[in-house]
Amino acid sequence: MKAFQGIMIELLHYMKMIAMVTTMTNEIKSATSVVTTNESTTVDNKNYDELIREFHRFWDVFPGIARLITKNHRILASNSIAAEKGFVEGAICAQVGTGPNAHRKCKLNKMFADKVGYTDRVLGDRVRGWAPVEGYDDVCVHFTVMIPESED
């Protein structure tokens, strides 16, 4: 149980970091002009380059799977653990997974409708979460972290 509580505290810390990153991103956008490159990430005519950079800055060190996903389930970015499991940029997250229950009871649509974060524990050995990104009503961070064995 202590391990689970520790994970939940760590997840809350990451969710707070998302809010900070979003605030920083918005400040940067208002202080600078928009620069386009040949490598920019545009989905539905929206540029997500700065958000993707900030996602990697914080979520690449997360000890689980983390993806930046659009409302349409398209993956904008993923950390290396997620990429190793097939969650790569451009993929539809619901089409990637390890079995028929991999996306059971997904709360992505509920999170976008309610505009609040959710977690669940559908599979006994992991916690999944969906966190909205402030300032981006069409993007969220979706993460999964394994629950370690008790160290008692």
Side-chain angles (χ1 to χ4, degrees):
M1 187 59 153
K2 284 183 180 179
F4 180 72
Q5 290 172 334
I7 288 172
M8 293 310 296
I9 290 170
E10 191 169 322
L11 292 175
L12 287 172
H13 173 72
Y14 277 100
M15 291 174 112
K16 287 179 184 176
M17 287 173 36
I18 290 171
M20 288 176 14
V21 168
T22 302
T23 301
M24 289 176 5
T25 301
N26 290 338
E27 289 172 2
I28 290 168
K29 282 181 179 175
S30 27
T32 61
S33 61
V34 177
V35 177
T36 58
T37 68
N38 292 335
E39 298 177 4
S40 70
T41 302
T42 304
V43 177
D44 296 331
N45 296 320
K46 287 189 178 179
N47 187 297
Y48 294 101
D49 291 343
E50 185 64 32
L51 180 61
I52 290 169
R53 278 192 290 280
E54 293 301 319
F55 168 86
H56 284 295
R57 204 169 130 206
F58 288 97
W59 288 92
D60 282 355
V61 297
F62 183 68
I65 298 169
R67 294 83 82 198
L68 185 65
I69 301 176
T70 68
K71 190 181 272 191
N72 296 325
H73 302 260
R74 183 159 312 278
I75 299 170
L76 293 174
S78 59
N79 66 2
S80 61
I81 297 171
E84 288 171 9
K85 301 205 179 288
F87 294 100
V88 295
E89 182 180 326
I92 301 296
C93 63
Q95 295 175 351
V96 181
T98 57
N101 293 326
H103 300 280
R104 185 172 55 127
K105 298 185 180 177
C106 175
K107 292 184 173 41
L108 183 86
N109 292 333
K110 183 173 178 49
M111 188 235 47
F112 279 117
D114 298 345
K115 298 181 184 354
V116 297
Y118 286 100
T119 59
D120 72 12
R121 193 172 168 187
V122 173
L123 302 171
D125 62 346
R126 65 197 74 182
V127 173
R128 302 184 306 178
W130 298 261
V133 177
E134 184 180 312
Y136 293 86
D137 61 355
D138 59 341
V139 177
C140 76
V141 173
H142 179 27
F143 57 85
T144 305
V145 65
M146 302 299 286
I147 299 171
E149 294 294 323
S150 176
E151 295 182 14
D152 295 343

